[in-house]
Amino acid sequence: MQLYDMHTHILPAFDDGAKTVEDSLALIECLKKQGVSHICLTPHFYTHEMSVEDYVAKRQEAFEVLRPQLPSDVEIVLGSEVYVTQYLFNSQDLNGITYGQSNYILVEFSYQCTFNETIMRQFDVLMRNHRLIPVLTHVERYDNLMSDPGLIEELKDDGVVIQTNISNYADKAPFFRKRKLLKFISNGLIDILGSDAHSFKHNTPEVFTQAMKNISQKCGDGTLSDMMANAEKIFKAAKGI
């Protein structure tokens, strides 16, 4: 089974993730040793701080520094973790901030987000006006979704893809949160996995194997395979395959 990390902050000297190329390569090597062969680089894009055009240009500059030293046996896709604000919709073309060439876009909201009518309207604009498929990042950070899985079902029914961070499934993750999230996975409420790796101290990728093992044991090998198949679909679209 090919393994995919759909959410990282490994791009060097760009956001609050990897500081240097050496840091980036160490994080990639850590994932590689655990069998992760496909990695998405998704640096933060705070839509109230810069334009899409400026962000894309800055991200490309950072990637060009890293590109020559990337290992040949790991596939890399550029994406973005897009903090959705009203300013995002000032841009007519959002294709530059999706996963590669795909129409999937990794999005986040305020942690206090209630997923009210205004937020649902923003999802609708992304999907209907821009023809994009939102991927909601680290679902576990939204209290409203954790306490009301019916909201997750509503998002999924609308076509939103749900991502979760591997740290929640590591051996030392908080027990009750881990149990709830494993139930969500078993019930088909979560689609893809990501490390959200920033460093070896902040969302370390070192626990990827632990997370995979625990998900497999509690939810079944088939469920884990399905999640990787979901990631593969996005990754291939990002590569234009």
Side-chain angles (χ1 to χ4, degrees):
M1 179 171 53
Q2 291 185 324
L3 304 184
Y4 295 78
D5 188 342
M6 302 302 292
H7 178 187
T8 72
H9 295 273
I10 289 177
L11 203 62
F14 188 88
D15 57 10
D16 58 343
K19 301 305 180 187
T20 65
V21 170
E22 291 73 23
D23 291 340
S24 301
L25 295 174
L27 292 166
I28 291 171
E29 182 64 21
C30 176
L31 286 166
K32 178 182 165 184
K33 285 181 177 178
Q34 295 176 90
V36 180
S37 55
H38 299 73
I39 301 172
C40 297
L41 308 184
T42 54
H44 288 290
F45 174 29
Y46 294 110
T47 54
H48 56 296
E49 293 183 356
M50 69 172 68
S51 68
V52 170
E53 295 76 16
D54 288 346
Y55 168 84
V56 170
K58 181 183 175 185
R59 184 190 61 181
Q60 190 63 35
E61 288 178 7
F63 183 60
E64 292 304 327
V65 173
L66 177 63
R67 190 207 296 264
Q69 299 191 57
L70 288 171
S72 59
D73 53 351
V74 174
E75 291 196 49
I76 300 291
V77 158
L78 270 181
S80 314
E81 182 179 7
V82 181
Y83 185 78
V84 178
T85 69
Q86 62 182 355
Y87 299 104
L88 174 65
F89 302 103
N90 292 337
S91 299
Q92 296 299 313
D93 184 4
L94 302 181
N95 290 320
I97 56 175
T98 60
Y99 281 108
Q101 301 175 48
S102 78
N103 63 338
Y104 291 90
I105 182 169
L106 186 67
V107 295
E108 71 168 335
F109 297 84
S110 164
Y111 293 168
Q112 289 74 45
C113 178
T114 59
F115 295 89
N116 56 21
E117 184 177 342
T118 299
I119 299 301
M120 292 304 191
R121 193 177 305 119
Q122 290 179 333
F123 277 112
D124 191 65
V125 170
L126 286 172
M127 291 186 281
R128 313 301 173 212
N129 295 13
H130 292 276
R131 306 297 185 196
L132 299 178
I133 302 173
V135 179
L136 180 62
T137 190
H138 38 58
V139 64
E140 60 275 355
R141 295 192 184 178
Y142 304 105
D143 289 341
N144 273 51
L145 298 184
M146 289 295 288
S147 61
D148 184 2
L151 282 174
I152 304 177
E153 291 179 353
E154 183 178 344
L155 289 168
K156 285 178 61 65
D157 287 345
D158 287 342
V160 177
V161 177
I162 307 297
Q163 183 260 320
T164 187
N165 286 358
I166 61 169
S167 58
N168 297 283
Y169 310 93
D171 292 345
K172 293 184 178 180
F175 175 78
F176 291 107
R177 170 167 289 223
K178 178 163 58 176
R179 185 173 68 176
K180 175 178 280 192
L181 285 164
L182 286 167
K183 185 176 181 179
F184 282 6
I185 289 177
S186 293
N187 291 340
L189 295 180
I190 300 178
D191 302 298
I192 60 173
L193 298 168
S195 68
D196 195 10
H198 286 63
S199 68
F200 290 109
K201 293 183 178 180
H202 182 188
N203 291 340
T204 175
E206 295 170 294
V207 298
F208 207 99
T209 298
Q210 287 180 19
M212 297 281 290
K213 179 182 177 182
N214 289 331
I215 292 171
S216 179
Q217 286 181 343
K218 299 297 183 179
C219 306
D221 290 339
T223 297
L224 184 58
S225 294
D226 288 345
M227 296 179 80
M228 288 301 155
N230 294 335
E232 181 181 20
K233 179 180 178 180
I234 298 172
F235 203 94
K236 284 185 173 180
K239 301 283 282 189
I241 300 173

